[in-house]
Amino acid sequence: MRYIAPKDASDLDAIETREWLDSLDYVLQSGGPAKVARLLRELTIHARQNGVKLPFTANTPYINTISAEEQLLMPGSPDLERRIKSLVRWNAAAMVVRANKAEEGIGGHISTYASAATLYEVGFNHFFRGHESGDGDVIFFQGHAAPGIYARAYLEGRIDETHLSNFRRETKAGGGLSSYPHPWLMPDFWEYPTVSMGLGPIMAIYQARFMRYLEDRGLKRASNAKVWAFLGDGETDEPEALGAMTLPAREKLDNLIFVINCNLQRLDGPVRGNGQIIQELEAAFRGAGWNVIKVLWGREWDPLLAKDREGLLVKRMGEIVDGQYQKYAVSDGAYVREHFWGVDPRLLEMVKHLSDDQLKKMTLGGHDPIKVYNAYKAAVEYKGAPTVILARTIKGYGLGEAGEGKNITHQQKKMNEDELRAFRTRFGIPISDADVGKTPFYRPPEDSLEIKYLRERRRALGGYVPTRKNRSEPLRVVPSDLFEEFHKGTEGRRASTTMVFVRLLSKLLRDKDLGPLVVPIVPDEARTFGMESLFRAVGIYSHAGQVYEPVDMDTLLYYKEASDGQILEEGITEAGSMSSFVAAGTAYATHGVNTIPFFIYYSMFGFQRIGDLIWAAGDARVRGFLLGGTAGRTTLAGEGLQHQDGNSQLFALAYPNCISYDPAFAYEIAVIIQDGIRRMYVDQESVFYYLTVMNEQYAMPEMPKGAQEGILKGMYKFRAASKPDAPLRAQLFGSGAILPEVIKAQEILESKYNVSTDVWSVTSYTQLYREGHACERWNMLHPTAPPRVPYITQCLKEAPGVLVAATDYVKAMPDAIDRWLPRPLVALGTDGFGRSESRAALRDFFEVDYRYIVVSALAALARDGKLEASIVEQAIKAHNLNPEKSNPATS
Ligand SMILES: Cc1ncc(C[n+]2csc(CCOP(=O)(O)OP(=O)(O)O)c2C)c(N)n1
Ligand SMILES: [Mg+2]
């Protein structure tokens, strides 16, 4: 090279840059890209060590991660696949349009699937493995794309025209289809619910981890199965969607693949009008350690990028914000030429050989099967980290005037005849002009190339997806000897129900048959519940084992992590723990393994905080036990307003297949858990359990004879009145940790006020409420048959006297059963915000201690004219109650 003397500093800079680049080129040629990468890494470190502040970017340019040169050819028949995809598109749109023909439409979504069709079809034809392959993938479908998934199942011959016609009409004869993925409603089809945004991604993450757990613990053979989660770009705004993203990278879950359909739009408008959602997500996922594959541009862009030696096009691609990209999507080629390419004559020059129409038709990556295929292939083969595919698409792709790329497209449910005709023509659907207005479904004949092809592809990949099925054998029996010790009580020794539960859990874990199936789950709270002995006994699960020496190694109960550890210690994430619960509690279906999860957590952070995940669990037909620890508004002393739970029993009532109990005694817990395992794992019922357990210690009594049935049904007589024929009579109901207060009140009522009193333990207001309503409903529909009598009515029919209930939960719980009682019930409960106080002070504050129970019973007797009001007044004084005290419900 001829030496040119530098003229000034900028010349010098240019020469210097040239020299560095020449050196780099030399290394690239002689040593390859890996060597260049290593050198750059070392240079960066060296520069940093010498105080150079380097600009940070977690982004790569706004182009495909897999370049055209690296791209592989696609196997199979692209032409047939395109035709199949077009048919799915048509039928998906048709089912929504037909569901909304009437004035009063029933809803549904066209544009989500329209944007995602290629993302799904490439999966169906080449990647998603069915369960018959032995490596069944678990797929979380984007809820709003459901019409497309149904439309494919229709082509596959799994559902028929009646189903499609009855989309969103689930009660219709012949069968309807649920709006979104709901295993509760379609238990042979959908595996996991997703439509509540953000829950799919977090459940997918913990599903992938749980698959590793099953393999590491030898409960499932090692497999190459993947978890796929399809989500919307708008959905990533939900905290749950990205909130657990560091876990799969940390745990190297290369069995997890996220596919984010980046159509740049959500419901109202652009996801990031003034920014770029894809770059934002790329940075977040790369920062968290994921393998990120961007699929932005379709094949038509490859030759242009190949010409782009100066990087002008790449720069231009990277500087457009999403709102503007959306504008290009709805504009004609002339607009795109002028506004996108027209900023630089050199760019215009690059596309001068293309007509406006050709410019308009340049596809995006997410609509190009070969780009998607290559991304999926790279993702399934990637080792050591999860992969996220950021696929750029157009919302409402193919809808044209009916909504493509428009802000209204998410809600578009109708298409007029012109729009339908255009859609049909664009995708080549063999429906005549005369018929198109009727929006008929179209399925080619059984022996058509399309149907044969799609069937063959699914056969090769191990069967149809999604398919849900119970793949486990029922357990044969629940060994009763594990539970019997608890029937005897503690012989005067004090224990809390939490301690009882932990002891029972330890016994279950030691059982040779049940033990391996038990999955204890804790969100960093094991010590709170006295479970630390389990750390050593069964180990904390960690795929990596324990690569450090724990500080407490020399103690008996050291913090033992092991690759075959059994406890899922999730850290401070109730949402993550609940997602593990869903994975473990549905493994009977997904993996054919009857794992029995026990998720114990601070009860206030359960239904109240992650109620929607619990709802999804119910939908997914989860089995297992939720344990609300440190429960009770007044039983948890000191912790105050944010921690004291007086609500969760009320919330639990609303979850149709959640059976909830507020047990007081050891034998109640034993009876409930034994029966729960029977119902869920022997009888295979689709229910799950919620038990509140407390930290107050008291002596656990022996189980009264014959109490089992009542414990399970929701109430039984714990202690009978000493003088059943006495003139003054009362029936007291107590639950959980408040039951001992009730028993104390009974003693005082009997000894001081001659009120002969029965005590009932109400283990579940919810169960009583449900059974009462079930009887009423049956009676209404069978007017001439002998009426059914609710269990609670049967219990109380002969019971004389006033009725008083005390609970550590809101008064709505006892109020819920009032109608089936012979006389009105007086309810004491803990409505209101909690306080930091001692247990006694809290029970005084919330008016649920024995004194309030005594006074309430006396007041009720006075109300009934059985007692002078002055006696109640005296009792108020004697027990130091302040009648002018403020109402805790509103204080
Ligand atoms: C938790 C929750 N909040 C709100 C909604 C209502 N919703 C349904 S779809 C949607 C927009 C979805 O946008 P995006 O995730 O980008 O999906 P796209 O349809 O664009 O693929 C919203 C807000 C929901 N389903 N779940
Ligand atoms: Mg979107």
Side-chain angles (χ1 to χ4, degrees):
M1 200 199 293
R2 197 164 59 85
Y3 179 75
I4 305 166
K7 286 197 287 288
D8 53 29
S10 71
D11 265 7
L12 209 58
D13 273 358
I15 292 171
E16 208 167 46
T17 309
R18 193 65 258 155
E19 282 174 359
W20 277 79
L21 292 178
D22 285 347
S23 310
L24 200 79
D25 284 347
Y26 171 76
V27 181
L28 188 61
Q29 272 158 24
S30 59
K35 196 161 180 191
V36 173
R38 183 183 58 79
L39 263 182
L40 286 176
R41 248 187 338 264
E42 283 179 18
L43 267 179
T44 314
I45 295 168
H46 191 75
R48 284 224 175 89
Q49 278 170 339
N50 289 285
V52 179
K53 301 263 181 295
L54 294 172
F56 169 78
T57 173
N59 279 122
T60 63
Y62 201 73
I63 50 172
N64 294 342
T65 306
I66 300 171
S67 67
E69 299 82 65
E70 294 168 288
Q71 189 173 292
L72 303 171
L73 283 177
M74 214 172 145
S77 167
D79 183 49
L80 274 177
E81 290 185 21
R82 192 185 47 75
R83 273 153 57 195
I84 293 167
K85 181 169 64 185
S86 297
L87 295 176
V88 181
R89 282 182 185 285
W90 171 263
N91 289 315
M95 65 195 285
V96 177
V97 170
R98 279 168 61 151
N100 293 281
K101 274 252 155 84
E103 215 20 64
E104 187 198 345
I106 199 125
H109 300 83
I110 303 175
S111 61
T112 299
Y113 180 74
S115 67
T118 302
L119 302 178
Y120 285 113
E121 279 302 305
V122 171
F124 280 120
N125 285 320
H126 300 281
F127 293 95
F128 301 159
R129 271 160 313 173
H131 285 278
E132 290 147 37
S133 69
D135 263 353
D137 290 348
V138 182
I139 307 167
F140 291 78
F141 293 92
Q142 197 186 349
H144 294 78
I149 313 305
Y150 292 136
R152 175 166 245 270
Y154 167 64
L155 293 188
E156 291 167 344
R158 301 203 287 149
I159 56 178
D160 58 29
E161 251 191 78
T162 316
H163 291 105
L164 295 196
S165 308
N166 291 339
F167 172 54
R168 292 186 164 224
R169 303 245 176 215
E170 298 189 73
T171 63
K172 281 270 193 294
L177 297 173
S178 64
S179 50
Y180 302 116
H182 294 302
W184 184 260
L185 304 170
M186 294 178 64
D188 304 325
F189 195 84
W190 296 114
E191 291 195 289
Y192 289 99
T194 45
V195 80
S196 174
M197 311 223 127
L199 304 192
I202 193 168
M203 288 193 290
I205 287 173
Y206 284 85
Q207 174 65 241
R209 211 274 301 259
F210 190 71
M211 278 162 60
R212 280 282 164 73
Y213 171 92
L214 288 178
E215 291 172 12
D216 284 345
R217 290 198 45 230
L219 291 170
K220 186 172 185 271
R221 73 165 179 81
S223 93
N224 203 18
K226 307 284 177 197
V227 177
W228 299 79
F230 286 80
L231 49 147
D233 47 359
E235 182 172 4
T236 61
D237 285 340
E238 290 286 2
E240 291 88 349
L242 303 188
M245 73 196 297
T246 54
L247 176 136
R250 190 164 65 239
E251 304 222 355
K252 303 187 174 52
L253 297 180
D254 48 26
N255 57 348
L256 177 66
I257 301 167
F258 271 22
V259 181
I260 307 187
N261 176 15
C262 296
N263 53 30
L264 315 187
Q265 287 179 248
R266 49 191 178 205
L267 193 152
D268 284 340
V271 179
R272 296 285 182 272
N274 293 314
Q276 294 176 318
I277 184 64
I278 292 177
Q279 297 300 86
E280 181 180 323
L281 291 173
E282 175 186 43
F285 279 97
R286 287 186 82 205
W290 289 55
N291 173 40
V292 178
I293 303 177
K294 292 195 289 194
V295 187
L296 309 184
W297 309 101
R299 67 191 77 174
E300 296 86 349
W301 295 84
D302 290 337
L304 300 178
L305 283 162
K307 281 198 276 185
D308 183 36
R309 299 212 192 291
E310 292 168 87
L312 290 173
L313 176 56
V314 173
K315 180 167 167 290
R316 183 68 183 142
M317 286 166 159
E319 68 196 14
I320 306 291
V321 293
D322 289 355
Q324 193 59 39
Y325 269 129
Q326 189 190 346
K327 172 72 180 161
Y328 297 142
V330 300
S331 304
D332 60 18
Y335 180 94
V336 177
R337 189 185 304 276
E338 183 188 341
H339 293 271
F340 179 82
W341 302 95
V343 287
D344 187 319
R346 290 169 296 178
L347 284 173
L348 274 178
E349 179 68 20
M350 283 171 93
V351 290
K352 73 165 191 293
H353 63 293
L354 298 175
S355 68
D356 285 353
D357 197 41
Q358 283 170 314
L359 272 192
K360 167 80 186 160
K361 283 194 178 140
M362 301 210 355
T363 50
L364 295 178
H367 296 305
D368 188 342
I370 193 156
K371 302 290 179 194
V372 174
Y373 174 83
N374 274 275
Y376 287 4
K377 185 160 165 52
V380 297
E381 288 170 2
Y382 195 82
K383 291 276 172 270
T387 293
V388 59
I389 292 164
L390 303 171
R392 220 186 115 194
T393 62
I394 292 175
K395 192 151 179 166
Y397 184 70
L399 293 185
E401 280 310 301
E404 183 167 300
K406 295 185 176 173
N407 277 340
I408 48 91
T409 194
H410 187 83
Q411 307 288 62
Q412 184 61 290
K413 299 162 202 327
K414 299 189 179 186
M415 289 169 86
N416 64 31
E417 202 159 326
D418 286 346
E419 290 162 347
L420 282 168
R421 198 173 307 117
F423 190 73
R424 176 221 50 193
T425 307
R426 175 161 179 181
F427 294 109
I429 312 298
I431 293 173
S432 69
D433 277 354
D435 287 342
V436 80
K438 290 185 234 132
T439 6
F441 298 123
Y442 180 77
R443 183 172 188 268
E446 200 56 41
D447 60 355
S448 63
L449 290 175
E450 289 90 340
I451 298 294
K452 285 210 299 234
Y453 183 86
L454 111 179
R455 282 190 188 276
E456 183 283 317
R457 289 313 305 144
R458 288 316 313 161
R459 216 174 3 255
L461 286 160
Y464 296 116
V465 289
T467 303
R468 185 188 179 280
K469 181 161 130 185
N470 183 353
R471 299 181 173 89
S472 65
E473 288 292 315
L475 293 187
R476 268 177 306 160
V477 281
V478 190
S480 52
D481 55 324
L482 289 174
F483 302 90
E484 271 154 14
E485 118 182 24
F486 300 94
H487 297 185
K488 293 200 296 282
T490 50
E491 292 166 347
R493 271 173 292 119
R494 284 147 42 90
S496 68
T497 46
T498 307
M499 290 158 72
V500 169
F501 163 70
V502 173
R503 179 164 173 79
L504 176 57
L505 183 65
S506 312
K507 285 190 78 171
L508 287 172
L509 282 163
R510 282 198 298 271
D511 183 76
K512 76 174 184 349
D513 298 320
L514 281 186
L517 299 174
V518 171
V519 182
I521 304 170
V522 280
D524 196 36
E525 215 77 69
R527 292 181 201 280
T528 311
F529 307 125
M531 290 170 70
E532 57 271 42
S533 63
L534 297 183
F535 289 165
R536 175 66 201 278
V538 294
I540 295 162
Y541 172 69
S542 162
H543 182 65
Q546 191 156 39
V547 295
Y548 61 96
E549 188 185 332
V551 283
D552 48 4
M553 187 71 180
D554 52 353
T555 65
L556 201 58
L557 305 177
Y558 77 93
Y559 195 84
K560 178 183 158 194
E561 298 196 56
S563 58
D564 62 351
Q566 199 159 349
I567 300 172
L568 289 174
E569 162 65 92
E570 301 295 17
I572 311 167
T573 167
E574 285 75 15
S577 306
M578 190 62 208
S579 301
S580 277
F581 184 82
V582 171
T586 53
Y588 69 92
T590 310
H591 303 293
V593 187
N594 275 315
T595 35
I596 310 174
F598 287 86
F599 168 25
I600 182 160
Y601 54 87
Y602 232 115
S603 81
M604 193 64 156
F605 306 133
F607 284 87
Q608 173 140 325
R609 181 155 184 144
I610 50 157
D612 198 19
L613 272 164
I614 304 178
W615 189 256
D619 184 348
R621 298 171 172 263
V622 89
R623 295 174 185 165
F625 295 90
L626 298 175
L627 283 302
T630 50
R633 185 102 70 207
T634 67
T635 305
L636 177 59
E639 291 289 344
L641 182 153
Q642 190 71 70
H643 288 70
Q644 290 158 344
D645 168 33
N647 316 330
S648 66
Q649 288 291 345
L650 180 66
F651 297 157
L653 180 144
Y655 290 64
N657 55 346
C658 176
I659 302 183
S660 51
Y661 289 100
D662 181 18
F665 297 135
Y667 62 81
E668 295 180 354
I669 292 180
V671 166
I672 293 163
I673 291 183
Q674 182 180 355
D675 195 62
I677 298 178
R678 178 191 65 76
R679 283 182 66 176
M680 295 186 285
Y681 294 93
V682 179
D683 294 355
Q684 309 263 302
E685 283 189 55
S686 289
V687 293
F688 65 109
Y689 281 70
Y690 176 56
L691 276 69
T692 35
V693 288
M694 282 72 66
N695 60 1
E696 181 177 1
Q697 299 185 15
Y698 42 81
M700 295 289 158
E702 190 178 352
M703 180 162 74
K705 279 216 165 29
Q708 261 119 324
E709 189 195 346
I711 293 171
L712 297 172
K713 285 188 162 169
M715 81 184 298
Y716 65 95
K717 192 181 279 185
F718 173 72
R719 190 177 287 169
S722 56
K723 294 186 212 113
D725 299 327
L728 295 179
R729 294 286 274 117
Q731 308 293 324
L732 301 186
F733 302 170
S735 309
I738 298 298
L739 184 54
E741 298 283 342
V742 172
I743 295 167
K744 198 162 167 190
Q746 176 198 35
E747 283 153 14
I748 294 171
L749 282 168
E750 293 217 330
S751 61
K752 293 228 165 73
Y753 298 97
N754 290 324
V755 182
S756 202
T757 308
D758 294 291
V759 170
W760 301 79
S761 172
V762 180
T763 49
S764 177
Y765 284 108
T766 299
Q767 290 301 90
L768 296 173
Y769 166 89
R770 288 176 178 165
E771 200 261 350
H773 272 295
C775 289
E776 251 181 32
R777 174 181 173 277
W778 193 91
N779 294 344
M780 182 255 299
L781 294 170
H782 302 85
T784 57
R788 290 183 178 170
V789 182
Y791 171 71
I792 179 162
T793 309
Q794 292 173 37
C795 286
L796 273 300
K797 76 172 178 290
E798 309 272 305
V802 295
L803 307 167
V804 178
T807 169
D808 223 2
Y809 291 84
V810 289
K811 293 172 186 168
M813 297 310 296
D815 282 348
I817 56 154
D818 182 64
R819 62 199 295 149
W820 299 294
L821 293 171
R823 291 169 298 283
L825 179 72
V826 177
L828 301 181
T830 58
D831 300 42
F833 283 123
R835 291 287 189 286
S836 304
E837 253 305 351
S838 69
R839 209 168 272 144
L842 284 167
R843 288 187 181 158
D844 173 40
F845 177 79
F846 280 103
E847 306 166 8
V848 289
D849 64 16
Y850 69 94
R851 302 168 309 154
Y852 280 94
I853 301 168
V854 167
V855 168
S856 298
L858 296 176
L861 285 165
R863 176 201 63 199
D864 291 352
K866 298 265 165 64
L867 203 73
E868 290 296 327
S870 59
I871 298 190
V872 187
E873 200 160 43
Q874 282 164 24
I876 290 173
K877 284 212 184 86
H879 289 107
N880 268 330
L881 308 188
N882 170 10
E884 306 318 320
K885 172 177 171 294
S886 62
N887 182 356
T890 48
S891 322

